[in-house]
Amino acid sequence: MKQKTEYAHLEMPEEGVAALMPNAGEALDCYLSIAQAIAGQTDYELVLENFANRLRALIAHDHLDIVLLHPSGTQMCYEARIHTDWGQTQNPSKPTANSPIRDVLRGDTPYILTDDAWTDPRFHFEGSDSKPLFDANLHSRIVVPLRVQGELIGSLAISSHKSNFYTGDLVALAQGAADLVAAFLFALERAKEAKDSAVSELEATGREQALRLGALRLTEGMERERQRLGMDLHDQTLADLARIRRRMSRIDGGSAAAQKEIAVLQDELDNCLDELRGIVENMKPGVLQLFGYCEAVEAHMQRCQKHMRRKIAMQVQDQSDGQMDALQDTVRTAMFRIVQEAVNNALKHAECDSICVRITRVGDEMVVTIVDSGTGISTSDLRSERGISNIKTRADLISATVTFARLTNPQGTCVEITVPLSAGKTAVEVLAL
């Protein structure tokens, strides 16, 4: 059987854009669904399963794996749907030189597309770790690189049990999905490295100080990479969507039914753009950096109000004269994220008609109180592994305390977060030494 050995970069011809626009709309919907599914997740397996499940709507597959490169010349493989020796936990780090997809991982080729990996010589060479191809019955494969700001960080491989299953036009779609997930995986990897680095300092700095320093680095690293991901989405993905929207608006002629379908696609694309802008703004809280804490909370509540179908009274009361902005940047950002989570929880679950955020200073501590007029928090809510768990984790990382209270007269919920004004400073001083 003749293999597909062409390596030229796939580009959609200009004259084909309009004809393929419905497919482009489906791809954009899938990419937005992927972004929503992985945003905020920190567990590799959960990220990969969500990514694989959403991608199946665009590219059918029986196995998906993501390889991340390490500077030492080794790699880690994470798998979805089928687990093979590539991702075994007993010996997870393997030399890239033995990888059957090393041509992509070394940047020697822009992608690999094969009708049957069992007989394709590119996957089989002296020392090749290709046995899982046979164990998992993987035939047709698409392998594309993961890049962040031009740097090759790994690969995405999509496989099918069937031969001759994938065609060349799917390579561009796979590359689009890889570009979307690459920055997020890069952020997770940097956060993991920051955490490992902090743990390694335990013996030198003392357990308590090192844990605080590690928590600060982890929080700061995650926030930095989250903002970088937001900027990447803004500069690339949003720009691409806007360009496609402009091209659609210039399509003329055709039947009335075709024009109606184009109008529907334009409306759907406008909704996708609005939702993606919200995701980007949530990842990159520019108002917090430019104008301060109180204004950032107000801006978030205004964005929430725009998407609500009913009127909800929202207000922010700063009784501290702006002293939240005296907190260390990482601590202030974490406090902003906590308020975001608390407000979002109230809007999703409390069925409230009012939310008030109050900022005060009590002695050497800053206190932020979020009160809603909803149904009131329950015992089962406090055991939740989602929003409330996220709030508790963020508070622990910055040495803050958080309490949840069910109100009865009037009915509602009160969330109170208290953080010392000195939070984060001890760790910074240790780092400076």
Side-chain angles (χ1 to χ4, degrees):
M1 179 174 58
K2 183 179 179 180
Q3 298 299 313
K4 295 181 179 178
T5 56
E6 67 274 18
Y7 291 105
H9 182 66
L10 292 181
E11 292 184 357
M12 183 179 293
E14 288 295 311
E15 64 272 17
V17 173
L20 295 177
M21 193 57 65
N23 288 335
E26 292 173 3
L28 293 173
D29 287 342
C30 182
Y31 293 159
L32 179 60
S33 174
I34 290 172
Q36 292 172 330
I38 66 177
Q41 301 292 344
T42 58
D43 180 83
Y44 275 103
E45 292 188 1
L46 186 57
V47 168
L48 194 58
E49 288 294 335
N50 287 347
F51 175 71
N53 290 337
R54 299 302 174 94
L55 185 60
R56 277 177 69 97
L58 195 62
I59 305 176
H61 59 271
D62 298 305
H63 175 267
L64 181 148
D65 70 74
I66 284 178
V67 168
L68 296 180
L69 295 172
H70 289 175
S72 61
T74 61
Q75 63 189 45
M76 292 278 289
C77 180
Y78 301 91
E79 299 176 288
R81 312 202 68 79
I82 300 175
H83 294 273
T84 72
D85 287 345
W86 285 331
Q88 63 174 310
T89 56
Q90 294 84 359
N91 184 25
S93 185
K94 298 186 176 182
T96 300
N98 295 340
S99 173
I101 58 171
R102 64 184 184 181
D103 288 350
V104 170
L105 294 172
R106 295 187 303 199
D108 295 338
T109 183
Y111 66 89
I112 295 176
L113 170 65
T114 184
D115 288 332
D116 193 346
W118 281 25
T119 58
D120 191 329
R122 290 173 291 179
F123 294 90
H124 310 286
F125 49 84
E126 183 75 25
S128 170
D129 185 19
S130 58
K131 184 175 179 292
L133 291 172
F134 302 97
D135 294 341
N137 191 32
L138 306 181
H139 289 276
S140 293
R141 303 197 84 202
I142 299 174
V143 185
V144 294
L146 297 174
R147 295 183 183 274
V148 174
Q149 296 182 340
E151 178 186 353
L152 182 62
I153 67 165
S155 66
L156 165 66
I158 303 168
S159 305
S160 171
H161 293 325
K162 300 177 182 178
S163 301
N164 304 293
F165 191 64
Y166 297 128
T167 57
D169 57 351
L170 293 179
V171 175
L173 296 178
Q175 187 63 69
D179 292 341
L180 178 62
V181 78
F184 186 80
L185 292 173
F186 183 76
L188 285 184
E189 193 71 359
R190 297 290 81 78
K192 181 177 179 294
E193 290 178 2
K195 180 179 179 180
D196 292 344
S197 175
V199 171
S200 70
E201 296 181 17
L202 286 175
E203 293 181 0
T205 60
R207 184 172 183 83
E208 183 176 354
Q209 284 186 330
L211 284 175
R212 289 186 181 277
L213 175 59
L216 186 65
R217 281 181 169 175
L218 176 60
T219 304
E220 188 174 15
M222 284 294 290
E223 187 62 34
R224 184 169 55 250
E225 298 305 336
R226 180 174 179 163
Q227 292 183 22
R228 175 152 60 177
L229 174 58
M231 287 186 286
D232 286 346
L233 288 173
H234 177 274
D235 296 342
Q236 186 62 49
T237 309
L238 266 177
D240 289 344
L241 289 176
R243 176 178 55 79
I244 293 172
R245 175 65 176 81
R246 289 194 297 272
R247 296 192 66 154
M248 290 179 68
S249 67
R250 294 197 294 268
I251 298 175
D252 194 10
S255 65
Q259 290 298 317
K260 182 178 180 181
E261 179 65 19
I262 290 172
V264 171
L265 285 172
Q266 287 176 322
D267 289 341
E268 291 180 356
L269 188 53
D270 287 338
N271 291 332
C272 289
L273 283 165
D274 288 341
E275 290 189 36
L276 190 54
R277 287 191 185 99
I279 293 173
V280 169
E281 185 59 32
N282 186 46
M283 289 179 169
K284 186 172 64 69
V287 177
L288 177 64
Q289 298 167 341
L290 295 175
F291 301 105
Y293 188 87
C294 182
E295 287 77 5
V297 174
E298 288 181 341
H300 175 67
M301 296 177 80
Q302 289 172 4
R303 287 197 303 272
C304 291
Q305 182 66 73
K306 282 176 57 179
H307 297 287
M308 297 302 295
R309 296 181 179 178
R310 56 192 177 84
K311 184 70 175 177
I312 298 179
M314 298 184 180
Q315 62 173 326
V316 181
Q317 300 174 355
D318 186 2
Q319 301 172 357
S320 71
D321 195 24
Q323 293 187 63
M324 282 293 292
D325 294 314
L327 290 171
Q328 202 260 350
D329 283 346
T330 304
V331 175
R332 184 181 65 155
T333 300
M335 290 290 287
F336 173 68
R337 296 296 186 197
I338 291 173
V339 170
Q340 276 187 312
E341 191 74 52
V343 170
N344 292 343
N345 285 347
L347 294 175
K348 283 183 181 179
H349 309 298
E351 300 178 8
C352 59
D353 53 28
S354 68
I355 300 176
C356 177
V357 178
R358 185 168 60 253
I359 306 165
T360 57
R361 175 175 177 173
V362 180
D364 293 330
E365 297 177 326
M366 296 301 301
V367 180
V368 179
T369 307
I370 304 101
V371 178
D372 68 67
S373 61
T375 54
I377 197 166
S378 67
T379 303
S380 60
D381 292 331
L382 291 173
R383 292 195 296 265
S384 168
E385 299 258 332
R386 297 185 180 177
I388 290 178
S389 178
N390 290 340
I391 291 175
K392 292 177 179 178
T393 299
R394 289 187 185 277
D396 288 342
L397 288 174
I398 59 172
S399 303
T401 59
V402 58
T403 60
F404 302 88
R406 181 185 180 94
L407 306 179
T408 55
N409 190 21
Q411 180 176 276
T413 299
C414 175
V415 181
E416 184 174 277
I417 311 102
T418 302
V419 62
L421 282 166
S422 60
K425 293 181 180 178
T426 301
V428 172
E429 290 166 359
V430 171
L431 181 60
L433 292 175

